[in-house]
Amino acid sequence: MGDLKPLVFLASSKKDLLALPAAVIQRFGFALYLAQCGKKHDTASVLRGFGSAGVLEIVEDLRGNAYRCMYTVKVAGVVYVLHVFQKKSKSGIATPQHEMDLIRERLKLALSRRKEP
């Protein structure tokens, strides 16, 4: 599949990913691999609320539990995993505000890294 983009986990995102059930890790891992190859998994969609920032979301449901992985490919040549979590909110499908704030913080971190020498 050609050259793979580096996969960079920000903050606790790798630890959070590895704490999930094995089936979810496998699905998220494959979707992130496709992102490294410059492709998009069928279940990946643009996360609303970030304008043109290019934050993508993968959602997996397993035995009644919802899991989410947010990443960006906006920084040229790198796939940044911004946040991975189990959605526990019972108030619909919207991503809770505190999770959105965390994603926003980590996106700023990823974008600032492209400006570093």
Side-chain angles (χ1 to χ4, degrees):
M1 289 218 149
D3 294 331
L4 291 180
K5 296 177 183 179
L7 183 63
V8 177
F9 290 89
L10 294 178
S12 65
S13 59
K14 186 172 186 177
K15 177 183 68 102
D16 297 338
L17 173 65
L18 296 175
L20 301 181
V24 176
I25 294 171
Q26 183 178 6
R27 290 180 193 137
F28 285 172
F30 181 65
L32 292 170
Y33 168 75
L34 289 177
Q36 287 181 277
C37 295
K39 300 182 184 295
K40 189 175 111 178
H41 192 271
D42 292 343
T43 63
S45 61
V46 175
L47 182 62
R48 290 193 282 162
F50 288 89
S52 63
V55 175
L56 293 142
E57 172 183 43
I58 311 160
V59 177
E60 287 296 331
D61 292 313
L62 181 68
R63 294 185 287 254
N65 294 306
Y67 302 92
R68 299 199 177 174
C69 175
M70 278 62 166
Y71 68 96
T72 187
V73 293
K74 193 68 173 180
V75 180
V78 181
V79 176
Y80 282 101
V81 180
L82 303 172
H83 192 33
V84 179
F85 65 101
Q86 178 180 354
K87 185 176 176 296
K88 296 180 181 178
S89 171
K90 305 294 183 207
S91 60
I93 62 171
T95 303
Q97 188 59 47
H98 69 278
E99 304 290 0
M100 294 293 281
D101 293 342
L102 187 59
I103 295 162
R104 229 173 239 104
E105 281 178 34
R106 293 181 182 175
L107 178 62
K108 285 180 191 174
L109 177 61
L111 294 174
S112 73
R113 287 186 175 191
R114 78 172 162 192
K115 296 173 186 166
E116 295 175 2

